[in-house]
Amino acid sequence: MERLLITIKYDGTAYHGWQVQQNALSVQEEFQNAVEKVFGSRLDVKGCSRTDSGVHANMYCLTLDTDMNITDEGVVMALNTKLPRDISAVSCKRVDSDFHPRYNCTSKEYVYKIYNGKIRDPFLDKYTYHYRFPLDAEHLDREAKHFIGTHDFSGFCSVKSDVDDTVRTITKADVKRENDLVTFTFEGDGFLYNMVRIMVGTLLFVNEGKIKDGELAKIIASCDRQRAGKTAPPQGLFLNKVNY
């Protein structure tokens, strides 16, 4: 029996996140359907992270165990003949039998994309949040640096979260503009439920003057969800990179 580490990417528009759910279509369910067709049985698939409904992934890592004699390239090619067009297998490699895609992960990078044009672009609707108000990316880039460091992020977590440990270390928090596209990038050792979307929504409150300059550090320290900003919509969020 060998453990395969498979990297995929997906458009999350049609799915209720990664994890299998009752009465809702998930990426994991579609992937397991493809695995069953390729490997002949419904193998246990372990993912590196949960993603919310409507959220995308440029890089998502998962493992499965198999005794089938098949090359890494063969796994990728075979899966792509069975996966729907909004999910793609990218790579495959053999890893140690105790490797876990979640617990062996050292950091993850998320990006959130905002289309800051005045007129909505229908070709970007599924992959960006259309925010038509003036946005000072350089100002928000400076403010975003308050997130860097080890903090209790319970004030930046959905009330639906059942996680006991809400301390996370953020190593990157950038906001960059390229024409009308504004990209927020966050890297850390882990993220809470809806954490990135709340961080973005809070920065948008700073942009709108609803949160004053210099207040962000105090809001983080308060651990009070009511003091942080809104939860930004899901379609702008991408799990961008998983590091091991």
Side-chain angles (χ1 to χ4, degrees):
M1 192 73 69
E2 291 185 297
R3 179 155 296 180
L4 307 182
L5 174 63
I6 300 171
T7 301
I8 66 172
K9 58 172 58 180
Y10 58 82
D11 174 346
T13 304
Y15 302 102
H16 289 257
W18 159 258
Q19 193 166 13
V20 169
Q21 303 176 40
Q22 290 185 346
N23 305 316
L25 184 63
S26 70
V27 178
Q28 184 179 17
E29 180 180 348
E30 287 284 24
F31 190 82
Q32 285 183 307
N33 290 342
V35 165
E36 186 171 11
K37 293 172 184 175
V38 171
F39 292 92
S41 61
R42 201 166 186 82
L43 302 178
D44 183 33
V45 174
K46 292 183 172 62
C48 66
S49 177
R50 294 183 180 183
T51 56
D52 299 343
S53 178
V55 172
H56 316 292
N58 288 322
M59 179 181 182
Y60 189 95
C61 298
L62 55 92
T63 57
L64 58 83
D65 295 337
T66 181
D67 56 6
M68 179 180 284
N69 184 18
I70 184 172
T71 66
D72 294 344
E73 183 180 6
V75 170
V76 172
M77 300 300 291
L79 285 172
N80 281 333
T81 66
K82 305 301 181 184
L83 287 166
R85 294 185 64 84
D86 50 9
I87 304 173
S88 178
V90 177
S91 66
C92 172
K93 68 176 182 178
R94 318 285 153 148
V95 292
D96 293 339
S97 59
D98 61 351
F99 182 91
H100 194 288
R102 178 180 176 187
Y103 301 122
N104 283 84
C105 174
T106 57
S107 68
K108 295 172 186 170
E109 180 182 272
Y110 282 88
V111 299
Y112 191 96
K113 299 180 180 181
I114 285 182
Y115 176 60
N116 194 218
K118 291 183 179 180
I119 306 300
R120 181 176 60 84
D121 187 333
F123 297 106
L124 297 177
D125 260 6
K126 293 194 296 183
Y127 310 111
T128 63
Y129 169 36
H130 179 217
Y131 182 84
R132 61 185 178 83
F133 306 103
L135 192 156
D136 186 340
E138 291 184 0
H139 178 209
L140 295 191
D141 183 61
R142 292 191 296 272
E143 288 292 307
K145 300 302 186 267
H146 290 294
F147 289 119
I148 295 176
T150 301
H151 308 287
D152 182 344
F153 281 101
S154 52
F156 291 80
C157 177
S158 169
V159 293
K160 295 180 181 179
S161 176
D162 56 1
V163 176
D164 293 327
D165 182 8
T166 52
V167 175
R168 298 290 185 272
T169 299
I170 301 300
T171 55
K172 179 192 291 185
D174 296 336
V175 183
K176 304 297 181 187
R177 175 186 287 278
E178 185 175 351
N179 299 318
D180 286 334
L181 183 66
V182 179
T183 302
F184 298 68
T185 304
F186 301 99
E187 184 175 346
D189 61 357
F191 293 86
L192 304 171
Y193 183 52
N194 282 347
M195 179 172 160
V196 175
R197 291 166 58 192
I198 297 171
M199 293 163 78
V200 172
T202 301
L203 288 171
L204 293 180
F205 269 24
V206 172
N207 184 69
E208 296 162 14
K210 296 175 181 177
I211 294 175
K212 297 179 180 178
D213 290 356
E215 287 293 308
L216 191 49
K218 297 177 183 178
I219 292 172
I220 296 170
S222 75
C223 299
D224 184 354
R225 176 67 187 92
Q226 298 301 314
R227 293 186 62 183
K230 63 183 178 181
T231 304
Q235 72 272 15
L237 183 60
F238 294 74
L239 174 57
N240 195 50
K241 189 183 299 183
V242 184
N243 297 309
Y244 293 102

